[in-house]
Amino acid sequence: MKSTDLTTTNRIIVLVCGLALFVVLFVPLWQIELAAPQYPEGLVLKMYPNKIAGNVDIINGLNHYIGMKTLHTEDFVEFAILPYIITFFAVLSLAVGLFLRTFKWLLGLFSLFVIFGIVAMADFWRWEYQYGHDLDPNAAINVPGMSYQPPLIGYKQLLNFGAYSVPDIGGWIFIVVGLGLLVAVVLQFKHKKQFK
Amino acid sequence: MKKIIYLFFASGAFLMLIHLSGCKPKNAGDATGSDAAGRTYVPPGKYDELYNFVSGGFSGQVSVYGIPSGRLLRVIPVFSQDAEKGWGYSEETKPMLNTSHGEIPWGDQHHLDLSQTNGEIDGRWLFANENNTPRIARIDLKTFRTTEIIEIPNGAGNHSSPFITENTEYVVAGTRFSVPMDYENGDVPISSYKKNFKGTISFISVAPTNGEMKIAFQMLLPGMNFDLSHSGKGPSSGWFFFSCYNSEQAHTLLEVNASKRDKDYILAVNWKKAAEYVKQGKGKKVKANFAHNTYSESTHTATSKMESEVTLIDVRDFPDLVYMIPCPKSPHGCDVDPTGEYIVGSGKLAALIPVFSFSKIQNAIANKTYDGSYGGIPVLKYEAALYGEVKKPGLGPLHTEFDGKGNAYTTFFISSEIVKWNVKDLKVLDRQPTYYSPGHLTIPGGDTRKPYGKYLVAYNKITKDRFLPTGPELAQSAQLFDISGDKMKLLLDYPTIGEPHYAQMVPAELISKNSQKIFRLDENKHPYVTMGEKNSKVTREGNKVHVYMTAMRSHFSPDNIEGVKLGDEVYFHVTNLEQDWDVPHGFGVKGNKNAELLIMPGETTTLKWVPEKVGIYPIYCTDFCSALHQEMQGYVRVSAKGSKVPISFSLGKNSEAADEILKK
């Protein structure tokens, strides 16, 4: 066994991460919960890898008061490519765990994954900014200086609605996978040092 | 000396005063327990434990209360027009009030019964009777809307109704007024009552899947007054029991002439056997003319169909179908206990309550223990059918229900009280006054095999000093009692709409879990639905102008209409495009001799308008729908007859969101 070969523990971690990423394809990544006095039951937007779901029609109906554009899955190229990207990471993880069992590949996978995470969040913020600021000037409710950008993560009051943006199941799996890969990287690095 | 005499008389008068007020019974209000407030307090935002469906009497409607708070939750329009909800005013609902006499704007709604499966409430439908022009309505408890009304031919005063069998196989109707049959010449002297007047009871089958009603058969009976009824349960489930009075067959001054005999009857009907005979084709088909109105949930539209035939069974031709049981005196209530063995008759002029035994009745029939016959129907010997009598229970018993623990509770109109007694030993256990003169009472599931037995509500005909006065016309009332302990405890008094007669109570969960929130737009099959603002339009067909209109927060599309002329009939077909809970829109037109519309999310409803003057007519949303509700308005221009103004319509700008929903 060469010093750069992945340990059995790390191979298992990477394989589990790969399998977990397949699950992400079918569950929501992110959710924005909305609460207002008239909606004690709450409204929710759910971002799946391939669509927006939840109370989309009701939220679109309410957003017309402030002149926000209506939300449609088709308007986001992200929902077309995200499933492929996730599949790519899942397959790559399995490949690293099964065939490409070297530290270099692991490090490569981890780096790509982190970069993807950052790009994805930046993209998400960009959309939130755009929808929150690009308002119809003829809208019925026009509060000077007010924008309606939901928080990237956490809570924010937007007029009568409280918006609470948090990862959903898929998002949490993503975070755990990221951490899992990080652990594997660290363990493998220590393992390599021992050999020297 | 003078002073002493003075003092003597004065103290005498004082003593007399004390004495007299000491004799006076304690005042009413004290009867409530100290914890009554806590027991009936449902905190803001919390739900009641039970639904209470209460007949609206001469209001023609059904009211829904929450128990134990006594809060009015809703009034369901059934037999009377309701301008508030557009019931009987919108084109879609007008056919619901159609009868063989044409459209009738009012009804007298007396009794209710919830559908049952295996003798227990199943929460699907609520049946309601109409007394004046005999009809039975079925209310769907998913939507709390009246979905079917069937008229009952060959009768008048549909009072012994709408009681059902254990599995809702049948709902019954019985005639309070005997009259000549519809297929006979009715132009006869009133004094020929005994010869020409007949009573009928009808068995209306209920389709197990969709609840659709059909008059399965009618039984032709001697002329008298049929009052209340109840189906047997368990061992007696194949039988139905009807109280009857006026066995004297009086046709005038009934208060004297129909109160002469010591005993009238309870009619026991073997309905299972009757159904078999009908199945074998043994009934006689007779001509009839009656309306059958159904409301379609997918088209949001009612249709009225005239039916032309019923199957009649003359009980004299079938000796094993019906039997008379003597019952003192002018009985009203006819109630069967949860085991199905005991049948309680409540003679409204009697000073005792007879309890009949189903097994003894069966023996008496088998052994032919008869006491003559009445109108060709065998009369059982009173003692042979009797289980026992509750002695000195009170005055004027009317109606009895059961708590499932072996106790019965009877209302007494004349002595104004409720009496609790044990069904087995017939001993009176408790009595509590009511304020004043109760007719019916209800216990949750109190007329089923499985009473819930925690509360009792009595419905009073007289309220007098119980509430703040409102002029000569006062509300009638309901009184809530706690019956969980040995003694009944008065918890709450509250006024009701119309006149409450019979009522039903049911644990909330059974109904609330199925309650519908919206109508789905993609299931809307109304012929004049407008699927999205882009499809809204105005079309002319001769002098009929059809407005395909949508409502969405906070505008109508179109909201400017021109080209309407005098002589036109305008039909506003308004579709509410909302698909969110509790976002109804309303619709009103200035000067329209009609009501408003209230349109629920996903629904299409039509308002007819025949303008009579040239001018500009505002239209607006009548239900405060949003922050911009006051902006939800528009105009219709009405031009003179023969004017050249073409049909045109517009809306400032179409809303994207409204069309969105329809894409899916």
Side-chain angles (χ1 to χ4, degrees):
Chain A
M1 192 184 185
K2 281 194 284 180
S3 69
T4 53
D5 281 0
L6 294 186
T7 63
T8 313
T9 317
N10 286 340
R11 282 178 60 198
I12 289 170
I13 292 178
V14 176
L15 283 173
V16 169
C17 286
L19 292 174
L21 284 174
F22 278 113
V23 176
V24 174
L25 286 171
F26 306 100
V27 293
L29 285 166
W30 210 270
Q31 63 172 348
I32 301 176
E33 286 175 29
L34 297 166
Q38 299 82 358
Y39 287 88
E41 72 275 24
L43 293 173
V44 70
L45 273 184
K46 286 193 175 268
M47 261 65 76
Y48 282 74
N50 61 339
K51 65 178 179 193
I52 316 180
N55 310 100
V56 186
D57 293 328
I58 294 174
I59 289 166
N60 279 341
L62 292 167
N63 283 345
H64 98 274
Y65 290 113
I66 52 167
M68 189 186 279
K69 284 212 171 96
T70 52
L71 296 163
H72 312 284
T73 298
E74 314 83 82
D75 293 350
F76 300 89
V77 66
E78 284 83 347
F79 291 122
I81 57 173
L82 252 180
Y84 294 104
I85 297 176
I86 293 167
T87 311
F88 165 76
F89 277 111
V91 170
L92 184 62
S93 302
L94 294 184
V96 171
L98 291 172
F99 318 113
L100 318 162
R101 302 175 299 209
T102 65
F103 184 54
K104 261 189 194 164
W105 276 106
L106 174 62
L107 206 57
L109 168 66
F110 176 67
S111 311
L112 272 179
F113 194 77
V114 170
I115 291 166
F116 167 71
I118 292 167
V119 170
M121 290 310 282
D123 184 59
F124 184 39
W125 183 88
R126 189 178 64 90
W127 278 121
E128 287 188 331
Y129 180 90
Q130 197 159 327
Y131 272 82
H133 288 79
D134 180 17
L135 305 170
D136 183 348
N138 294 321
I141 298 175
N142 194 338
V143 184
M146 182 78 191
S147 65
Y148 304 95
Q149 181 179 358
L152 189 62
I153 186 160
Y155 179 83
K156 193 174 164 193
Q157 187 75 26
L158 303 168
L159 290 189
N160 61 328
F161 272 93
Y164 184 59
S165 174
V166 281
D168 209 318
I169 305 169
W172 287 117
I173 293 176
F174 241 87
I175 291 165
V176 170
V177 165
L179 290 174
L181 291 179
L182 178 63
V183 167
V185 167
V186 171
L187 288 179
Q188 192 64 32
F189 185 69
K190 281 187 178 165
H191 175 75
K192 205 169 115 183
K193 263 188 168 174
Q194 263 177 10
F195 259 71
K196 276 182 181 171
Chain B
M1 186 64 193
K2 238 180 191 174
K3 263 187 187 169
I4 292 171
I5 292 170
Y6 224 64
L7 203 70
F8 174 76
F9 278 112
S11 54
F14 179 68
L15 282 172
M16 256 167 78
L17 265 174
I18 293 180
H19 178 75
L20 282 178
S21 58
C23 278
K24 206 179 153 198
K26 266 187 199 140
N27 190 294
D30 311 338
T32 52
S34 58
D35 62 341
R39 296 290 314 277
T40 57
Y41 181 69
V42 178
K46 297 284 179 231
Y47 289 157
D48 277 291
E49 193 182 336
L50 302 128
Y51 280 103
N52 181 199
F53 298 95
V54 186
S55 58
F58 39 62
S59 82
Q61 320 296 41
V62 169
S63 54
V64 187
Y65 291 85
I67 297 292
S69 72
R71 296 182 292 192
L72 177 64
L73 305 176
R74 177 150 185 83
V75 176
I76 306 170
V78 187
F79 296 111
S80 292
Q81 286 182 333
D82 184 349
E84 172 195 329
K85 301 175 184 81
W87 180 256
Y89 291 94
S90 72
E91 295 305 297
E92 287 79 3
T93 56
K94 278 178 186 173
M96 288 305 280
L97 302 182
N98 191 39
T99 71
S100 60
H101 308 270
E103 220 176 285
I104 296 181
W106 169 82
D108 187 12
Q109 202 285 297
H110 276 234
H111 311 124
L112 299 170
D113 217 358
L114 285 160
S115 60
Q116 296 178 18
T117 304
N118 298 322
E120 291 177 31
I121 297 168
D122 59 25
R124 292 186 294 169
W125 308 303
L126 177 69
F127 295 92
N129 74 323
E130 206 276 280
N131 193 55
N132 181 49
T133 305
R135 282 172 283 172
I136 291 177
R138 181 170 56 87
I139 295 161
D140 189 330
L141 293 176
K142 286 200 307 291
T143 55
F144 282 59
R145 283 194 176 178
T146 306
T147 53
E148 191 179 4
I149 293 179
I150 193 163
E151 190 183 356
I152 316 294
N154 296 320
N158 174 31
H159 200 262
S160 359
S161 181
F163 300 101
I164 57 163
T165 52
E166 260 195 345
N167 288 296
T168 323
E169 294 99 334
Y170 294 98
V171 52
V172 302
T175 52
R176 166 180 162 182
F177 294 93
S178 283
V179 286
M181 294 295 96
D182 292 351
Y183 53 85
E184 291 169 340
N185 174 23
D187 184 9
V188 294
I190 297 171
S191 58
S192 69
Y193 183 106
K194 285 183 188 172
K195 182 173 164 237
N196 291 319
F197 290 35
K198 298 276 187 316
T200 58
I201 54 177
S202 308
F203 282 79
I204 295 112
S205 61
V206 179
T209 46
N210 61 9
E212 191 167 317
M213 297 186 285
K214 180 178 178 283
I215 299 182
F217 56 91
Q218 294 193 304
M219 286 183 162
L220 189 66
L221 290 152
M224 61 172 123
N225 293 29
F226 293 92
D227 203 334
L228 283 162
S229 65
H230 260 110
S231 165
K233 304 178 172 82
S236 58
S237 67
W239 290 72
F240 224 106
F241 304 93
F242 294 78
S243 62
C244 16
Y245 64 104
N246 191 21
S247 51
E248 297 86 350
Q249 298 192 309
H251 57 80
T252 181
L253 196 62
L254 263 67
E255 72 169 311
V256 174
N257 294 333
S259 307
K260 286 181 172 158
R261 294 171 59 140
D262 273 355
K263 289 194 175 66
D264 290 282
Y265 301 104
I266 281 175
L267 180 81
V269 178
N270 188 341
W271 64 262
K272 277 219 166 118
K273 192 160 263 181
E276 270 169 39
Y277 284 146
V278 170
K279 213 172 163 188
Q280 293 160 14
K282 286 191 175 154
K284 187 173 74 179
K285 300 242 192 277
V286 296
K287 277 220 172 91
N289 183 32
F290 59 100
H292 184 192
N293 313 329
T294 46
Y295 184 83
S296 155
E297 216 165 89
S298 64
T299 61
H300 306 294
T301 305
T303 45
S304 180
K305 201 176 123 202
M306 297 310 294
E307 312 240 7
S308 58
E309 195 181 68
V310 284
T311 301
L312 203 66
I313 291 184
D314 188 335
V315 297
R316 287 171 304 186
D317 301 337
F318 302 92
D320 54 350
L321 278 188
V322 295
Y323 302 89
M324 298 284 218
I325 305 162
C327 180
K329 180 175 183 180
S330 298
H332 187 64
C334 182
D335 303 290
V336 182
D337 91 311
T339 67
E341 167 64 11
Y342 303 103
I343 299 127
V344 179
S346 301
K348 53 187 184 278
L349 305 173
L352 57 83
I353 303 174
V355 178
F356 301 99
S357 149
F358 179 70
S359 42
K360 284 185 78 175
I361 292 170
Q362 293 306 297
N363 285 336
I365 291 170
N367 301 327
K368 295 194 173 6
T369 321
Y370 296 156
D371 186 6
S373 71
Y374 182 90
I377 301 168
V379 176
L380 304 184
K381 269 214 167 72
Y382 178 65
E383 292 76 16
L386 188 73
Y387 171 71
E389 292 170 341
V390 185
K391 303 284 188 197
K392 296 196 175 159
L395 261 183
L398 284 189
H399 175 218
T400 303
E401 288 212 343
F402 307 89
D403 65 2
K405 292 181 257 176
N407 302 311
Y409 300 77
T410 304
T411 50
F412 288 82
F413 182 84
I414 300 171
S415 51
S416 187
E417 60 187 334
I418 294 167
V419 173
K420 175 183 179 180
W421 50 276
N422 186 282
V423 179
K424 275 269 151 64
D425 63 23
L426 307 170
K427 292 260 168 24
V428 171
L429 301 172
D430 187 26
R431 56 178 71 240
Q432 289 294 334
T434 67
Y435 309 98
Y436 306 91
S437 291
H440 287 277
L441 56 76
T442 184
I443 291 170
D447 65 342
T448 70
R449 276 168 81 167
K450 204 178 154 199
Y452 174 82
K454 180 172 170 188
Y455 297 107
L456 178 154
V457 182
Y459 297 95
N460 299 306
K461 306 292 187 192
I462 298 167
T463 52
K464 283 199 167 163
D465 58 349
R466 296 300 286 183
F467 306 108
L468 281 174
T470 55
E473 222 172 317
L474 303 172
Q476 303 197 10
S477 82
Q479 286 194 289
L480 177 70
F481 290 86
D482 172 6
I483 55 163
S484 55
D486 287 341
K487 299 280 171 195
M488 297 176 278
K489 269 195 236 160
L490 176 60
L491 297 177
L492 188 68
D493 251 23
Y494 53 96
T496 58
I497 65 146
E499 178 186 350
H501 296 256
Y502 204 79
Q504 293 273 282
M505 233 191 310
V506 57
E509 168 71 1
L510 207 54
I511 310 283
S512 62
K513 65 176 186 211
N514 297 325
S515 194
Q516 204 165 311
K517 289 182 173 163
I518 59 162
F519 296 104
R520 289 186 52 150
L521 212 45
D522 56 8
E523 290 169 0
N524 184 329
K525 299 279 182 288
H526 193 290
Y528 290 96
V529 66
T530 308
M531 286 290 191
E533 289 181 357
K534 282 169 189 134
N535 298 317
S536 58
K537 63 184 175 189
V538 181
T539 60
R540 172 180 285 285
E541 289 166 21
N543 73 329
K544 289 191 169 66
V545 176
H546 291 280
V547 182
Y548 293 74
M549 184 179 264
T550 63
M552 178 88 191
R553 283 163 294 174
S554 307
H555 56 271
F556 293 107
S557 175
D559 65 2
N560 282 199
I561 299 166
E562 301 198 359
V564 174
K565 291 176 236 175
L566 286 187
D568 284 348
E569 287 177 0
V570 184
Y571 295 88
F572 294 97
H573 308 286
V574 189
T575 301
N576 181 347
L577 293 180
E578 310 279 358
Q579 288 289 271
D580 195 2
W581 191 20
D582 200 12
V583 194
H585 289 292
F587 184 76
V589 185
K590 185 190 171 188
N592 191 8
K593 293 173 176 170
N594 202 340
E596 66 160 348
L597 295 177
L598 275 189
I599 315 130
M600 296 305 122
E603 189 182 22
T604 303
T605 312
T606 303
L607 191 69
K608 185 181 174 183
W609 174 47
V610 185
E612 291 177 353
K613 271 187 272 182
V614 167
I616 297 292
Y617 288 84
I619 54 173
Y620 73 105
C621 175
T622 54
D623 186 319
F624 208 111
C625 56
S626 72
L628 298 166
H629 161 72
Q630 289 293 87
E631 282 72 14
M632 194 161 173
Q633 64 173 52
Y635 293 102
V636 184
R637 174 181 170 188
V638 175
S639 308
K641 211 168 188 159
S643 147
K644 291 274 186 306
V645 180
I647 288 279
S648 71
F649 54 92
S650 61
L651 168 72
K653 182 175 168 255
N654 281 351
S655 143
E656 236 186 303
D659 286 328
E660 218 29 65
I661 292 165
L662 293 143
K663 267 195 212 156
K664 294 175 183 162

